[in-house]
Amino acid sequence: GDFRPAMNPHRRDEVFLRALADPGITAILERLVGGPVSAIQSQLFYCHPGTPGFTEHQDNHYVEARREVFASAWVALEDVGPENGGLYALPGSHREPLLAVEPVPGVREHPKQAFNAIRQRTAVPPGYARVDLTVPRGAVVFIHGHLIHGSHDNRTADRSRRSLLMT
């Protein structure tokens, strides 16, 4: 009955632990950050119809790691596009430092989304345009820790957007 993102499913189920340690994914992450990687968390997103999207954010805002050592792998567990809560990114924004966050006025908790995902957003500097990502089931999106990104509301009546984030 709780469809907010599940934190650290790798601690409860071997399937998620194997995904977190996948050699193909870790090899790419090691190339991106320039050395060995360590996992710090996983999140399983359900994003059922009616789920609000995640506001613009930089993942490293929550972790505060050194600039070039933090990245994530986001795995689409079904076909994902803007209509069912797909990701969007602001290309080039990974060059920015960690930016200030601002509260989102009038937001209330939602039973399908983590409150931190909707209560604040990164103050986006001018000059960046959103690019929607259409991601087929099984594909992986690698996210630099400073890349500004978010997700759309799931506006469908019958399509979820399940995904696994591995940080």
Side-chain angles (χ1 to χ4, degrees):
D2 184 349
F3 292 107
R4 292 174 293 186
M7 291 298 297
N8 297 313
H10 70 276
R11 293 182 180 168
R12 296 184 295 280
D13 192 311
E14 183 74 21
V15 160
F16 297 108
L17 183 59
R18 283 195 311 271
L20 193 61
D22 180 85
I25 290 174
T26 56
I28 292 169
L29 286 169
E30 286 175 350
R31 287 194 64 188
L32 291 173
V33 302
V37 294
S38 297
I40 60 171
Q41 73 172 21
S42 62
Q43 285 181 274
L44 178 63
F45 294 92
Y46 302 102
C47 198
H48 288 310
T51 300
F54 207 121
T55 61
E56 294 91 3
H57 65 284
Q58 295 170 298
D59 288 343
N60 201 18
H61 164 78
Y62 302 101
V63 178
E64 298 181 358
R66 289 188 333 271
R67 180 176 175 74
E68 296 299 332
V69 300
F70 182 77
S72 300
W74 185 93
V75 181
L77 301 179
E78 53 206 321
D79 292 342
V80 175
E83 65 284 343
N84 70 328
L87 296 177
Y88 60 83
L90 284 66
S93 63
H94 68 285
R95 294 183 195 98
E96 295 286 343
L98 282 181
L99 299 166
V101 296
E102 56 194 21
V104 175
V107 71
R108 290 197 163 88
E109 289 197 48
H110 194 281
K112 295 180 182 179
Q113 185 59 279
F115 192 46
N116 271 346
I118 56 178
R119 72 177 180 86
Q120 60 189 11
R121 64 180 165 232
T122 295
V124 178
Y128 291 105
R130 284 184 182 182
V131 172
D132 292 332
L133 305 178
T134 299
V135 185
R137 177 182 177 188
V140 181
V141 176
F142 292 91
I143 303 170
H144 186 283
H146 283 219
L147 179 73
I148 301 170
H149 64 287
S151 63
H152 293 280
D153 297 346
N154 185 337
R155 301 180 306 271
T156 66
D158 59 354
R159 290 183 55 216
S160 293
R161 185 223 68 194
R162 287 179 285 265
S163 59
L164 178 63
L165 178 70
M166 298 176 291
T167 302

